[in-house]
Amino acid sequence: MEVLLFGIAKDIVGRSSFRFEEGDEMPKSVSELKQKLNNSFPDFGKLSSLAVAVNSEYAEDARILNRGDEIAIIPPVSGG
């Protein structure tokens, strides 16, 4: 499972992507993935919201994740 990070999410993690490999404990749902991110990178807890896309489609917290999925972490965006 590959996780792509954008905006401030990329800044928090320090890179634009990472993978859950064969031996890793993989999150079973979007909700579990968010919890893992918060546990590993506490600054995620400071974000007002966080969108997650699974295989290029926005996903709710209950969405089940599979090993081959491509996940995008999309933080809140502000512009001017």
Side-chain angles (χ1 to χ4, degrees), residues 12 17 19 24 34 42 58 62 64-65 74 78:
I12 290 170
S17 68
R19 286 189 159 278
D24 296 340
K34 287 179 178 179
Y58 284 106
I64 301 301
L65 300 177
I74 307 161
S78 63

Side-chain angles (χ1 to χ4, degrees), residues 17-33:
S17 68
F18 66 90
R19 286 189 159 278
F20 287 99
E21 300 292 347
E22 261 321 296
D24 296 340
E25 184 179 334
M26 193 182 84
K28 295 174 179 62
S29 66
V30 168
S31 177
E32 199 173 299
L33 173 64

Side-chain angles (χ1 to χ4, degrees), residues 5-17:
L5 301 144
F6 297 93
I8 194 161
K10 181 173 88 171
D11 295 339
I12 290 170
V13 174
R15 54 190 164 168
S16 61
S17 68

Side-chain angles (χ1 to χ4, degrees), residues 8-79:
I8 194 161
K10 181 173 88 171
D11 295 339
I12 290 170
V13 174
R15 54 190 164 168
S16 61
S17 68
F18 66 90
R19 286 189 159 278
F20 287 99
E21 300 292 347
E22 261 321 296
D24 296 340
E25 184 179 334
M26 193 182 84
K28 295 174 179 62
S29 66
V30 168
S31 177
E32 199 173 299
L33 173 64
K34 287 179 178 179
Q35 189 60 47
K36 280 184 169 287
L37 289 171
N38 283 334
N39 291 344
S40 298
F41 307 98
D43 283 344
F44 270 105
K46 297 177 184 175
L47 299 177
S48 59
S49 65
L50 187 68
V52 176
V54 179
N55 300 323
S56 300
E57 294 182 11
Y58 284 106
E60 298 293 325
D61 284 352
R63 169 80 182 258
I64 301 301
L65 300 177
N66 298 299
R67 188 156 297 279
D69 288 340
E70 180 183 74
I71 312 298
I73 304 299
I74 307 161
V77 177
S78 63

